[in-house]
Amino acid sequence: MNSLDIARRHAFAQEIAREAGGIARRYFHSGDRIQATEKGAHDLVTQADLEIDRFLIERLRQAFPEDGILTEESGGSAAPNLWVIDPIDGTTNFARRIPHFAVSIAFHAEGRTESGVVYNPVLDEMFVARRGFGATCNGQPIRVRPTRGVTDALIDAGYSSKRPLADYVALVGRLLESDFAFVQNGSAAIGLAQVACGRIDGYCELFLHSWDVLAGLLLVEEAGGWVSDFTARDGLLQGNAVLAGTPAIREPLQGVLPIAIAAGALPR
């Protein structure tokens, strides 16, 4: 795929992310209760998730019928040129009207993510990255924070019920023992975007799916940070551990997540 083809898809991703965000914002600001159904423990889906999922699939099939599509709500399969989508990352926050969620759209071509868009429709923040072209928020260049060290660092430690609770407790314990401070805010896409724009210093989670993180991981890379190799051991389709951060804390942050390293998500 040539640069022009990628540029067309990169521009289109931003367009449809904004339109999808409008759907989410309509639900978020409505006076009606946001109905949520449990797919699993602490794993919700709302009517907005499903409506946005259908909208994005329809628009992408019309514009790029030859491309594959993988989404949280509809699934999909591997393809040389693949859109990887989470219609709402942070559904629990969304359902409770906490404005910490995003539409996440990544375009993965021939083995690597080429374009990533993370859009928070309530705050109207559009985080965008294209490989080799840097990262922006609402059109302004962003960079990771110049962290001085672990005692200056704040890490978002995401929780997944797909891994034993004891592993998460151990992860948090290692963060604190290593003098990191941590938060848990409920959206990997937003957490990674916040690393990219310098609000926090790192993100880690023991298990996520590709639709949660591909766009955000590219944001961190293009903003000058480092990320684990999420697609190792078929992470694209099966999921993997996630680790990302600023250059100054690379070594100590890797040290608190040996489970991710053992799983094959070796930081680059």
Side-chain angles (χ1 to χ4, degrees), residues 54 66 78 84 98 111 152 167 189 217 223 261:
R54 289 191 297 267
E66 68 279 16
V84 183
I98 299 169
D152 180 47
D167 288 350
L217 289 172
I261 294 172

Side-chain angles (χ1 to χ4, degrees), residues 30-48:
S30 74
D32 299 328
R33 180 172 177 266
I34 299 176
Q35 299 289 337
T37 302
E38 286 192 359
K39 296 188 291 183
H42 305 290
D43 188 8
L44 304 179
V45 63
T46 70
Q47 187 60 37

Side-chain angles (χ1 to χ4, degrees), residues 181-242:
F182 84 97
V183 293
Q184 205 286 312
N185 285 323
S187 169
I190 292 287
L192 290 165
Q194 291 190 336
V195 175
C197 72
R199 294 173 186 165
I200 62 175
D201 304 275
Y203 188 92
C204 59
E205 189 155 350
L206 297 174
F207 180 84
L208 283 165
H209 291 286
S210 56
W211 47 73
D212 301 307
V213 299
L214 283 196
L217 289 172
L218 183 61
L219 282 168
V220 175
E221 284 190 271
E222 289 296 315
W226 58 272
V227 303
S228 55
D229 185 1
F230 183 81
T231 59
R233 301 190 184 182
D234 199 25
L236 182 65
L237 297 182
Q238 300 300 322
N240 214 333
V242 175

Side-chain angles (χ1 to χ4, degrees), residues 17 31 57 61 70 97 101 113 126 209 218 227 238 250:
I57 290 172
R61 284 179 175 163
L70 174 66
R97 287 193 168 86
F101 64 90
T113 304
M126 176 78 76
H209 291 286
L218 183 61
V227 303
Q238 300 300 322
R250 179 170 183 158

Side-chain angles (χ1 to χ4, degrees), residues 44-127:
L44 304 179
V45 63
T46 70
Q47 187 60 37
D49 290 90
L50 300 175
E51 183 175 337
I52 293 170
D53 189 69
R54 289 191 297 267
F55 165 78
L56 291 173
I57 290 172
E58 180 179 352
R59 291 295 308 277
L60 288 169
R61 284 179 175 163
Q62 289 173 350
F64 305 105
E66 68 279 16
D67 292 351
I69 303 173
L70 174 66
T71 84
E72 178 175 11
E73 307 307 337
S74 297
S77 58
N81 301 319
L82 182 67
W83 294 92
V84 183
I85 295 167
D86 195 338
I88 297 179
D89 184 71
T91 298
T92 298
N93 288 339
F94 171 77
R96 293 172 179 264
R97 287 193 168 86
I98 299 169
H100 192 88
F101 64 90
V103 178
S104 179
I105 302 174
F107 179 66
H108 193 75
E110 300 172 2
R112 67 179 191 175
T113 304
E114 295 287 353
S115 171
V117 176
V118 173
Y119 181 50
N120 181 328
V122 178
L123 300 182
D124 193 25
E125 289 188 328
M126 176 78 76
F127 296 92

